[in-house]
Structure formats: structure tokens, C-alpha cells
Amino acid sequence: MEQYIIKGGNPLVGEVVIGGAKNAALGILAASIMTDGRCLIDNVPDVRDINVLLQAMEGIGAVIDRKSSNEVEISGKNIDSNGDLIVDNEYIRRIRASYYLIGALLGKYRKAKVVLPGGCDIGSRPIDQHIKGFRALGAKVKIEHGMVIAEAKVLRGAHIYLDVVSVGTTINIMMAASLAKGNTIIENAAKEPHIVDVANFLNSMGANIRGAGTDVIRIKGVEKFHDTEYSIIPDQIEAGTFMVAAAATKGDILIKNVIPKHLEAISAKLIEIGAEVEESDDAVRVVATRRLKHTQIKTLPYPGFPTDMQPQMAITLGLSKGTSTITESIFENRFRYVDELRRMGANIKMVDGNVAIIYGVDKYTGAEIDAPDLRAGAALVIAGLAAEGYTTVSQIGYIQRGYERFDEKLRSLGGLIEKVDSEREINKFRFKTGSMM
Ligand code: EPZ
């Protein structure tokens, strides 16, 4: 079984280039089948969730041409619209973004049959708002035998007020409504950078969407979409993860190919706890020279502090001076890394399931730990890089779902980390890095 082995204690120093945003790419790739034309999409991250989505799209007849690891050409022309348009396989069941194929297929063909979405186990993840949105547009939606089945004779624009701010729902409604008759207004829409990116992509295919990035999005339905070429925005969370890696290891990292505006909530917290953050046009540099301080964090929809950065920040605060608190307000089960981090010496008390009280310790010590989900997995790798001694992280498939060449990028910053598959390889790494069992 693949694991990462890490020898901690080296500050991470150097430059790293950030890839395309996974969560924008998932929406954009799904939306690309809404035209019979050709979509050439660049800056696509080469990560597992993306590859699973592309395979599922191929499964319904889309033609996918990987031009290179980060560029793909897609055509939805050969999708058999007379068939049932069933999206199901053992891999797609595990990812969340399968739900974007409901909005895309419903918009274009007025029908879709997609297996209920999975995704990281970070709490209950209902899709009631997606369903409410599709129904408001005139679709009949039912869930049978684990599949979401949506159909409409006609899709008509509607005024939709979301009960919760939801990224997935906002994107799904934007897609279906773009090819509906008439106008749609989404109120209480999510404002994440990837919402804007998916809207820009749809507009580049001929959609008429205004207001993405605010909480009211207005969509005028159009007849059909055309060819496009598009480049996906940089991944805000991958960038944030490397920012925190610099802070937690007392390092100095120049993080290139980012949009600093998207990172403001993260930069502000790092500055507050004593790190230096320098922004330029498309890069940020994070430097930490001494022990950082405590703070309070509450996760919120954008532009608040992102839930996807919560575990990484907790790892840093666990080594900071004083007592910090983190309140998770988006997902109820996003602290499964706490037990793992305790094995490394962290002192964290949980209150009411969604508040972590973190008493800063002087150091972590290496341990054998499991990645519980994508972001927590990446956070624990950083804990390992900051810790004294050796750490092994298992279940790294989670990390590979969303971080491209994570270990390679960390190595280029001086991190002692390797992907290993056997006890022999672990011993080889220990030998190479100066300690035999
Ligand atoms: C997206 O998930 C991201 N996933 C998540 O990324 C991210 O954590 C999350 O947005 C919040 O930013 C993708 O983009 C594929 P939501 P999503 O709908 O769309 C509730 C990562 O690590 N809700 O914005 O599933 C829901 O339970 C991940 O990359 C409903 O109640 O999140 C949650 O409390 C994991 N009913 C809140 O809304 C619904 O119908 C926000 O969820 C939909 C959501």
C-alpha cells in the first residue's frame, strides 16, 4: 500500500508553481459537454478526481483528447441523447463532482441519470438544494436505487433562493439555467472564485451569466453553446496549503501562479499570527522566522476563511504560542485529523464537535498516521515535515485526489518526503536520510 514517508525538521525553502483549481476544473469539464462544439481547456490539474470525472464523461460518449497532462480537448457531440444518459461506475461513486453532470446533461438534453455523489467523508452532504433548483427550473427529480433521475420537457428560468450558501448548487443551477428558456435569478449564491471561473467558462461558450462572484446571479437562457478555449484559474487551496507549509516549518516559500486576491483570508490570518506575507501580481511569498502566535478562526463561505484550509491552519496553530480556537461552520465532520495529530504530540480539545481548542506545543514528533480525507491528509503531511523524526502517512489516495505531484513539489522545497510501497523502501529512505531502524 502506498504511503508517504517523511523525515521532518527541515524548513521548506524555495519556489513552487501552483496548478489549476480542482474545484473549478470539475465544474468546467462537466459543463464542456454542453456544446456539440470543441472545448480546449488548459491548466487542468492532473489529479485523481479530475481523471475519474473525465472517464465518466467518456462513458456516456464524450470524446476526451488529453493533449498533455494539463490540457484537454473535449467534445460532447457524440453523446447518445437517445440513450438513458446513465453516469455510474465504481469510481464516480466516490467523487462529489459527479453531481455536475446532472446540471450539464439536464441543461443540454433535458434528462440525466447520475449515481448519488460520494466525496470526502467530512460530514453529511445533502443535495436537497441542487434538487430544489432543478425542480424550480421545471425538472422532475427523483432518487431511485441510488441514482438521481432528472427529466424535463421544458426547462424554464426561475427565481431561486438558496437556503444555504452552496458551491455545488450554485454551479449546477448556473449550468442548467444557461440553456433554459427565459431568465433565472439565483439569490444567496456562493461567491467562491471557482463560481466565477465556471461562469466565465460558460459565458465563453455563449452563456449569458452576470453577477457571478456576488450573491445574486442573473442568467438569461440561450439556445445553444459553441466552441471555446479556456484556461482554468490557479488553485486557491493548493496555494494556501503551501503558504501554511512555509509557516509551519519556519520556512520561506515563493508561491507562483496564484491570484493573491483569492488568498486574502489566508494571508490575513498568517500575518496576524506573525508570518510575513509579501504579495506581487501573480505570486505570494510566505516567510516565518520565529515561533508564531495563537488566533481564532471560523470557517465561512468565501470571502471568509475557507473550510478547505481549516486542517492545514490547525497544524500551524498547534505549534504556535498560546491557545487558539477553530470553529468549523460548514461541515460537521472535518476534525477527523485531530486524533492523528495527537499521536504527534498536539494538544487539542474538541468542544461540541465543531470547535477545536488548540493549546500550542513546542514541537510535534513523528508517528504512523492515516490521512482521513484530502485536505486533512495534506495538513498531516505538513505536520510530518515540521515534526522531529519520521512520520508515515497512509491512505494517501485521498491526497492524490486533489494535489498534483504533492510529494515532488515538497521535495523541490527541501522536504524529505518520498512515496513508498514496501518496508524495504521505507528502510531505504531511512538509510538515505541518516537513520536505520
Ligand atoms: C464544494 O463542496 C467543494 N467540492 C468542497 O471541496 C468544499 O469544501 C465546499 O464546496 C465548500 O467550499 C467541490 O467543489 C467538488 P457546498 P460542495 O455545497 O459543493 C450544505 C475539497 O477538499 N448543503 O458549498 O459539496 C452542505 O452540507 C472539498 O476540495 C446542503 O445543506 O459544498 C454544507 O454544509 C471537500 N444542501 C454547505 O451546504 C445542499 O444541497 C456547503 O456545501 C448542498 C449543500
Side-chain angles (χ1 to χ4, degrees), residues 268-378:
K269 276 295 160 195
L270 288 175
I271 292 168
E272 197 182 310
I273 62 173
E276 287 166 44
V277 180
E278 271 172 38
E279 288 179 6
S280 52
D281 282 353
D282 61 355
V284 286
R285 179 175 167 206
V286 178
V287 186
T289 45
R290 54 203 139 83
R291 193 170 177 208
L292 300 171
K293 294 177 291 193
H294 58 100
T295 188
Q296 271 75 50
I297 291 180
K298 183 173 183 183
T299 61
L300 287 169
Y302 189 84
F305 192 88
T307 172
D308 293 349
M309 280 300 299
Q310 182 263 98
Q312 300 89 314
M313 206 60 197
I315 260 94
T316 313
L317 295 176
L319 290 172
S320 300
K321 219 184 301 174
T323 304
S324 300
T325 58
I326 295 190
T327 306
E328 172 59 57
S329 69
I330 311 288
F331 292 110
E332 73 255 30
N333 199 8
R334 230 174 175 175
F335 283 112
R336 293 193 309 143
Y337 61 88
V338 166
D339 280 340
E340 303 300 302
L341 198 57
R342 283 187 186 129
R343 291 176 207 267
M344 302 178 78
N347 184 359
I348 302 179
K349 192 172 132 197
M350 292 304 302
V351 183
D352 296 335
N354 74 327
V355 180
I357 302 178
I358 304 173
Y359 305 97
V361 294
D362 290 340
K363 62 172 188 191
Y364 295 144
T365 50
E368 286 180 20
I369 52 178
D370 282 343
D373 60 62
L374 163 60
R375 306 301 171 187

Side-chain angles (χ1 to χ4, degrees), residues 22-23 99 125-129 166-168 308 330 375:
K22 170 191 75 110
N23 289 343
Y99 55 34
R125 301 180 74 180
I127 58 161
D128 56 302
Q129 296 301 302
S166 158
V167 171
D308 293 349
I330 311 288
R375 306 301 171 187

Side-chain angles (χ1 to χ4, degrees), residues 27-309:
I28 287 171
L29 295 173
S32 70
I33 59 167
M34 297 180 75
T35 169
D36 281 342
R38 144 193 174 281
C39 297
L40 186 62
I41 304 167
D42 191 18
N43 212 25
V44 179
D46 187 8
V47 296
R48 280 199 189 167
D49 277 13
I50 296 290
N51 296 326
V52 166
L53 180 69
L54 288 173
Q55 269 170 25
M57 287 160 54
E58 245 172 355
I60 50 169
V63 177
I64 313 283
D65 179 5
R66 290 300 279 249
K67 301 274 177 199
S68 67
S69 55
N70 300 116
E71 192 183 32
V72 61
E73 189 178 292
I74 299 170
S75 166
K77 194 171 163 190
N78 293 341
I79 294 175
D80 177 15
S81 55
N82 296 318
D84 269 346
L85 296 177
I86 299 176
V87 179
D88 189 13
N89 67 45
E90 74 174 287
Y91 304 106
I92 197 83
R93 283 178 204 188
R94 295 192 207 136
I95 78 165
R96 190 81 196 143
S98 52
Y99 55 34
Y100 290 139
L101 291 173
I102 312 174
L105 291 170
L106 185 66
K108 188 176 178 202
Y109 301 110
R110 308 295 192 241
K111 62 180 176 183
K113 209 168 174 183
V114 177
V115 69
L116 268 169
C120 279
D121 181 10
I122 51 180
S124 135
R125 301 180 74 180
I127 58 161
D128 56 302
Q129 296 301 302
H130 301 244
I131 294 176
K132 169 177 148 167
F134 297 142
R135 285 191 177 140
L137 295 173
K140 288 206 171 82
V141 188
K142 56 185 181 182
I143 296 177
E144 273 178 6
H145 308 296
M147 306 288 285
V148 184
I149 303 165
E151 291 181 273
K153 283 207 171 65
V154 187
L155 280 184
R156 283 190 204 287
H159 196 140
I160 303 166
Y161 189 95
L162 301 183
D163 302 326
V164 289
V165 178
S166 158
V167 171
T169 308
T170 305
I171 291 179
N172 241 336
I173 299 177
M174 281 195 316
M175 292 201 278
S178 286
L179 290 180
K181 283 192 190 317
N183 299 339
T184 295
I185 300 177
I186 311 174
E187 296 216 46
N188 199 25
K191 298 182 278 202
E192 269 67 5
H194 33 293
I195 304 281
V196 180
D197 210 35
V198 177
N200 286 342
F201 172 75
L202 287 164
N203 285 343
S204 79
M205 287 202 292
N208 186 339
I209 303 173
R210 285 179 300 134
T214 75
D215 46 22
V216 183
I217 299 181
R218 292 167 202 278
I219 303 157
K220 270 192 187 154
V222 299
E223 280 279 305
K224 60 178 191 162
F225 291 156
H226 49 69
D227 291 4
T228 187
E229 289 187 11
Y230 197 80
S231 184
I232 293 170
I233 52 165
D235 197 302
Q236 168 208 13
I237 305 300
E238 188 195 4
T241 302
F242 281 100
M243 290 169 78
V244 163
T249 63
K250 296 204 187 75
D252 177 349
I253 308 182
L254 180 66
I255 300 148
K256 293 165 113 175
N257 186 34
V258 301
I259 301 177
K261 171 103 190 93
H262 296 167
L263 303 171
E264 274 172 357
I266 304 160
S267 301
K269 276 295 160 195
L270 288 175
I271 292 168
E272 197 182 310
I273 62 173
E276 287 166 44
V277 180
E278 271 172 38
E279 288 179 6
S280 52
D281 282 353
D282 61 355
V284 286
R285 179 175 167 206
V286 178
V287 186
T289 45
R290 54 203 139 83
R291 193 170 177 208
L292 300 171
K293 294 177 291 193
H294 58 100
T295 188
Q296 271 75 50
I297 291 180
K298 183 173 183 183
T299 61
L300 287 169
Y302 189 84
F305 192 88
T307 172
D308 293 349
M309 280 300 299

